[in-house]
Amino acid sequence: MKYLLLSLILIFSTSAFATPEKKPNVLVLFFDDMRFDTFSYRNGPVPTPNIDMLADQSVQFNSAMTTTGLCSPSRAALFTGRWGHKTGLDDNVELFHSRQYQLSPHEGGLIKRAADSDYFVGYVGKWHIGPQGPKIRGAQFIREHADTRTRKPRHYVPYADVESIKGYYQGKRDENGEKHVYYQTLLGTYKDTEAYHKVEYGKEMLVAAAQQDKPFFGVVSFNQPHPPYRVPEPYASMFDPQDISLPNNFVQERNFKPMAQDKVLWPWHNVGHMAESDWRRSQAHYYGAIAMVDDMVGELLQTAKDLGLYDDLHIVLLGDQGSMIGEHNLFDKGPYAYDELMRIPLLYRNPNTTPKVVTRQVSMIDLAPTLGELMHLPNDGDVDGRSLVPLMINGDKAEAGREDTALYMYEWYNGAWFGLRALRTPDLKFVWYPGDNRDELYDLKKDPGELTNLIKNSDYKQKLAHITSLLEREMARVDDPMLDVYQHHLKSILLQEKEASW
C-alpha cells in the first residue's frame, strides 16, 4: 500500500509539473511558378547547392502536386487546407476581369491559427489572396505589399504588354534584342532586385524571431521565378541557350486537345511570334532565375544558422505551381493539367525525422493539416488534405494499400470559367472539361510529355473506367458541387461517344 501511494504521488507530481511538448519553429520558403524538374538534386540542369543541402536534410516529396495552376486559388488552398468551392477563392484576385478581390477574412488559415496559438508570426513578400491579408489574420511582422496595398483596389490590366506583343509581331525587339514580356536582362546586380529586398526582409524577420520567448511561424514568399523571366547578370548569361535540351513536347502542335488550351487569357499567351531562339532564351533566363533563387535560399539559411535557430528549425520549401516554357507551345499557365504546371517542388526539413525520398503523390493542400498537427494548432474547420507526418516518419510504406492519387482543379482564370477536374495516378492522368465535349486521358509511363490524348482509345477502356471512378470518389470526398454534373457526363465518357456537332 505504501508503494502504491508513493507511485500515485510520483505520477501526480510529474504530470502536474510536466512541460508541454515544445512547439516547433517553422520557416516556409515559398516561390512563384517554380517547376519541379530544374534543381540539381533532381538531376536537373541548374546547379543548386543550397537547395540540394536542404534536400539532403529533408523529406523530399518528389511527386508533389499543386491544387490549381493559378496563384491565388493555390495559395488559398495552401493556407486553409480547403478547396476553392469551400473557401470561395477559386480565381485570381485583383487581375484583369476577375470577380475576386480577396480570400474571405473569415478564412483565417495557418496565419490566424498560429497567431491565436501564441506564435510569433511573420510574413514577407507576395500574398496574392487579398491586400493586408496577413495583417488582418494577426501576423506581427509584415513586409512588402502584403500590408501596404489598399483593400479592394482597381484591378491590374496589362495594356502595355498588349502593345509590346503587337510590336513583336512587327519584328520589333526590346533592349538587348530581348522580348521583355517573356525574358529580360535586368540592370544592376542581384542585390538591386526586388527579390533581394525580400531576402533582406526575411533576415529581419529571423532576427526578430530570435528575440522572442515564443515559437515563430515565418513565411518568405518570392515572386521569382514567375514569368517574365527577368534576372541581372551573371544569371542572365549563366546558361547558353543553344546548350539547353528541349523536351519532346517542345512547341508541339496540340492535336485533339480541348479548345480551352487555345484561348489567349493573358497577353503573353499569344506566342505565334516566338521563334525557337526566343524559347531557348526564355528557358535560359528561367534557369538563371533558379540559380538566383538558390543564392537567396542560401542567404536565409545561413542567417538562421548565425542566429542559432537552424538546428531545430522546421523548413518547408515549395512552389505554388509550375509553368510552361514552350511545352505544347504554351507559356506561363492556363486551364490545363500538364505535369509542367501541375507538379511542384516540395521539401520538408523536420529535425525529428530521418531524411528520405517519398514517391507517393501528395498535394499542396496537405500542408495545412500537416503543419497544424506539428505546430499543435487548433482546428478552424474541415480540411480536404491529409497530414503528411506518417509519410515523413515511415516513407511510402505509411500509405501502403491506399490509392495513389492526386486531385487537381482549374475552376476560373481571371473571370473565365472552365471547371476542369483532373485525377492523376503514377501511371495515368484523366482530365474532365465540363465546358467542352472533349476530355483527356494520358498514359504517363509511355507518354510523359502528354502528347497523345487516349480518351477514345478502346485499348484503355478499362483503365478509363477505373480512373474516372477514382475522380468521382475524390469529388464526393471533398463535397465538390460539380459532382452531379460529372456523374451525368460519365456515361458519355465511358461509352466514348462521338463529339457533338452543331
Side-chain angles (χ1 to χ4, degrees), residues 291-440:
M292 190 168 81
V293 161
D294 187 70
D295 287 342
M296 295 189 292
V297 169
E299 287 204 33
L300 289 169
L301 297 185
Q302 186 59 51
T303 299
K305 292 175 182 178
D306 293 344
L307 292 168
L309 295 171
Y310 189 82
D311 288 347
D312 63 352
L313 183 62
H314 288 234
I315 303 173
V316 184
L317 183 146
L318 78 158
D320 60 356
Q321 67 257 327
S323 195
M324 313 298 290
I325 318 177
E327 298 86 3
H328 304 281
N329 207 34
L330 296 167
F331 187 73
D332 186 34
K333 61 184 76 70
Y336 37 77
Y338 293 122
D339 268 7
E340 292 87 356
L341 181 61
M342 186 174 173
R343 297 183 68 174
I344 59 172
L346 176 58
L347 302 174
Y348 195 117
R349 179 186 186 268
N350 183 340
N352 302 313
T353 59
T354 304
K356 57 180 64 68
V357 174
V358 170
T359 62
R360 298 282 301 187
Q361 294 184 122
V362 302
S363 172
M364 172 185 286
I365 211 165
D366 298 327
L367 281 169
T370 302
L371 290 169
E373 178 179 343
L374 291 168
M375 295 167 64
H376 313 292
L377 303 180
N379 293 331
D380 69 344
D382 70 320
V383 291
D384 295 314
R386 87 275 200 185
S387 171
L388 301 179
V389 171
L391 288 170
M392 289 185 195
I393 296 171
N394 295 312
D396 288 335
K397 65 182 180 181
E399 293 189 349
R402 180 183 186 273
E403 287 276 9
D404 190 359
T405 63
L407 178 64
Y408 176 89
M409 302 186 189
Y410 215 115
E411 195 71 20
W412 295 81
Y413 188 108
N414 294 3
W417 178 78
F418 300 95
L420 177 160
R421 304 290 190 268
L423 196 288
R424 189 187 191 281
T425 73
D427 299 327
L428 292 174
K429 183 185 294 179
F430 170 69
V431 192
W432 172 57
Y433 286 81
D436 201 321
N437 54 26
R438 179 182 293 173
D439 304 310
E440 294 173 291

Side-chain angles (χ1 to χ4, degrees), residues 417 430 432-439 468 482-497:
W417 178 78
F430 170 69
W432 172 57
Y433 286 81
D436 201 321
N437 54 26
R438 179 182 293 173
D439 304 310
T468 53
M482 291 294 292
L483 177 61
D484 178 63
V485 178
Y486 178 66
Q487 290 171 330
H488 278 280
H489 287 189
L490 261 180
K491 182 179 179 181
S492 63
I493 293 169
L494 295 177
L495 288 176
Q496 302 173 347
E497 292 178 349

Side-chain angles (χ1 to χ4, degrees), residues 238-250:
M238 195 173 283
F239 299 90
D240 187 338
Q242 296 307 310
D243 291 340
I244 289 173
S245 298
L246 300 174
N248 73 328
N249 57 7
F250 172 71

